[in-house]
């Protein structure tokens, strides 16, 4: 099994910054991609940002220029630096990791979610 622990959420004023972290552990042979999703009340979960093992990144249009995703392959950890936060960024943020375990089976695991609230 693969376990994800995500952290770093909290309450921040508009224009502020937060940094989310997500560490993966367990039966991990390789990781293809790591990403962050978010879900606001009454809305569907949406992709925020993703990064491949080669470092290619993809961002939702709503966060381009404000959020930066990065990863530490040695630590199986992905980060999301969020700057210039807006009230509409308020949501539960979930990390997702896709890869292959030591049984050579593909997996897709989710973190438990961390709340980000942007409010004055």
């Amino acid at each position: 099994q693969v376990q994800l622990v995500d952290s770093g959420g909290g309450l921040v004023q508009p224009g502020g910054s937060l940094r989310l972290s997500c560490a993966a552990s367990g039966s991990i042979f390789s990781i293809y991609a790591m990403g962050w999703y978010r879900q606001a009340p009454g809305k569907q979960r949406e992709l925020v940002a993703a990064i491949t093992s080669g470092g290619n990144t993809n961002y939702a249009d709503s966060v381009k220029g404000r959020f930066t995703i990065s990863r530490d392959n040695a630590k199986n950890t992905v980060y999301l630096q969020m700057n210039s936060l807006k009230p509409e960024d308020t949501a539960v943020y979930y990390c997702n990791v896709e890869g292959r375990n030591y049984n050579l089976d593909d997996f897709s695991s989710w973190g438990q979610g961390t709340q980000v609230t942007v409010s004055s």
Side-chain angles (χ1 to χ4, degrees):
Q1 284 190 340
V2 176
Q3 298 81 36
L4 304 185
V5 177
D6 46 33
S7 61
L11 173 64
V12 63
Q13 293 185 341
S17 298
L18 284 175
R19 188 188 192 215
L20 306 183
S21 300
C22 175
S25 63
S27 178
I28 300 172
F29 177 73
S30 62
I31 292 178
Y32 307 143
M34 309 178 86
W36 289 96
Y37 291 72
R38 67 185 180 188
Q39 187 166 19
K43 294 187 177 182
Q44 289 187 333
R45 189 173 297 188
E46 62 175 358
L47 175 68
V48 177
I51 185 167
T52 67
S53 58
N56 293 320
T57 58
N58 182 39
Y59 295 93
D61 288 342
S62 60
V63 306
K64 284 181 180 177
R66 300 187 298 122
F67 291 10
T68 302
I69 190 170
S70 61
R71 61 189 283 176
D72 184 331
N73 290 331
K75 297 181 179 180
N76 289 335
T77 299
V78 61
Y79 306 95
L80 186 67
Q81 178 67 43
M82 304 185 294
N83 299 329
S84 302
L85 282 161
K86 304 175 181 180
E88 50 264 43
D89 294 318
T90 296
V92 178
Y93 284 69
Y94 299 89
C95 68
N96 174 260
V97 174
E98 297 181 344
R100 180 161 289 183
N101 61 26
Y102 284 113
N103 292 328
L104 302 183
D105 295 322
D106 291 337
F107 69 84
S108 178
S109 294
W110 291 89
Q112 78 278 10
T114 184
Q115 176 71 47
V116 171
T117 302
V118 185
S119 175
S120 55

